Amino acid sequence: MSAVVPVKWLFARLYEPDIVIVDCRFTMGKPDAGRTAYEEEHIPGAVYLDLERDLSAPVEEDGHGGRHPLPDIAELAARLGKVGISNESRVVAYDDQGGAMASRLWWLMKYLGHENVFVMEGGFTAWKNAGLLTSSEQKVLIPARFLATVQHNMLVEVEEVRESLGKAGVVLVDSREAPRYRGEVEPLDRVAGHIPGARNFFWAEGRRADGTWKSADEQRERFASLSQEDEIIVYCGSGVTATPNVLALREAGFVRVKLYAGSWSDWISYADNPIATGEK
């Protein structure tokens, strides 16, 4: 089954007891906008998880770990349980940012060993455009128990990225827009450029012009220049918009896909790390 489910799929299962719907809306630079939007209206029964408060750890003073460090595993598992997610839950995440925030939760849950997690096609706007009911009522939370089984092979740290530079059989994928990849602009981080040898696949190109996700065949065509035999390390600015590329690669049949969670903002926090600009 695809990791991306249509609005109608969720609507048909809206009140099934093992379904937990998670609103992940978040706007970079406006940290309260997502929660405010959730409190105004959301899919009935949805709970809210915040990118920075729930799905990331606090930023380190030295910048190591990047702008959105991975949360502590025990704290995240406890937080998931607190909003009613158990190991038996089917979790459906949505946002209104093209799937980037929902994919962060999708990746984190996969990393914790939870397979039944999905991203809703089109986000909250698609739900509203379908004429479906919304609510401002917040669900009464019944805590559950969530036990993590960490999938360490899904993640790489900065040391492994350093060791991969120029190594045969390892491909770095930069998920940012091309001007940021080339180092022409950098709106968020103090240094522009990319990790040497990385190839640019802008995450948003995993969607069609109408905003819907490309099919598995379309994703395979998009990544046709990559080999499924290679180990693929995906990064972005801070480990958020890399996750929809991880999802897209998995949909296309790639299995040796890892996330460099600290991403560019972590890479540049080490003064000795090399930096490339342009197309190289």
Side-chain angles (χ1 to χ4, degrees), residues 113-176:
H114 193 82
E115 286 300 313
N116 283 321
V117 56
F118 308 94
V119 173
M120 190 187 77
E121 179 84 84
F124 188 64
T125 296
W127 182 271
K128 289 194 70 175
N129 288 345
L132 300 175
L133 290 177
T134 63
S135 174
S136 61
E137 293 183 9
Q138 295 191 32
K139 182 179 180 180
V140 175
L141 300 178
I142 302 175
R145 189 181 185 207
F146 184 88
L147 296 176
T149 306
V150 179
Q151 307 299 300
H152 296 287
N153 63 341
M154 290 178 58
L155 179 71
V156 297
E157 303 289 351
V158 64
E159 294 83 4
E160 295 168 88
V161 179
R162 287 194 195 107
E163 292 170 4
S164 75
L165 298 184
K167 187 176 179 180
V170 181
V171 177
L172 285 165
V173 167
D174 187 312
S175 304
R176 299 170 300 164

Side-chain angles (χ1 to χ4, degrees), residues 5-16 19-22 43-44 46 90-94 119-121 127 132:
V5 295
V7 165
K8 290 181 179 179
W9 184 93
L10 178 57
F11 179 67
R13 294 160 177 80
L14 193 60
Y15 298 108
E16 293 183 3
I19 290 283
V20 180
I21 306 165
V22 184
I43 294 176
R90 283 182 292 168
V91 179
V92 183
Y94 72 88
V119 173
M120 190 187 77
E121 179 84 84
W127 182 271
L132 300 175

Side-chain angles (χ1 to χ4, degrees), residues 41-56:
E41 61 173 345
H42 50 261
I43 294 176
V47 298
Y48 184 75
L49 288 176
D50 184 275
L51 171 66
E52 294 186 343
R53 296 184 180 95
D54 302 312
L55 306 182
S56 304

Side-chain angles (χ1 to χ4, degrees), residues 57-60 62-69 189 237-239 261-267 269:
V59 176
E60 299 289 340
D62 58 12
H64 295 343
R67 285 182 281 106
H68 292 107
D189 294 306
S238 65
S263 287
W264 180 247
S265 52
D266 175 62
W267 183 259
S269 72

Side-chain angles (χ1 to χ4, degrees), residues 21-51:
I21 306 165
V22 184
D23 187 318
C24 298
R25 284 177 287 175
F26 185 90
T27 303
M28 296 290 189
K30 298 179 180 179
D32 296 323
R35 180 171 289 278
T36 298
Y38 167 78
E39 291 173 351
E40 290 175 354
E41 61 173 345
H42 50 261
I43 294 176
V47 298
Y48 184 75
L49 288 176
D50 184 275
L51 171 66

Side-chain angles (χ1 to χ4, degrees), residues 196-274:
R199 298 169 65 178
N200 186 217
F201 291 86
F202 181 36
W203 73 272
E205 291 174 353
R207 294 176 292 132
R208 305 184 186 96
D210 64 358
T212 58
W213 287 75
K214 291 180 177 177
S215 68
D217 286 341
E218 289 171 310
Q219 300 290 9
R220 276 189 285 273
E221 183 178 349
R222 177 180 169 225
F223 296 118
S225 62
L226 302 178
S227 170
Q228 296 202 7
E229 300 300 317
D230 288 337
E231 178 180 297
I232 299 173
I233 298 173
V234 188
Y235 76 93
C236 57
S238 65
V240 178
T241 58
T243 57
N245 257 351
V246 173
L247 189 156
L249 283 158
R250 291 272 293 265
E251 293 282 282
F254 291 81
V255 294
R256 302 185 65 201
V257 182
K258 300 182 179 184
L259 176 70
Y260 172 26
S263 287
W264 180 247
S265 52
D266 175 62
W267 183 259
I268 61 173
S269 72
Y270 297 90
D272 295 337
N273 281 346

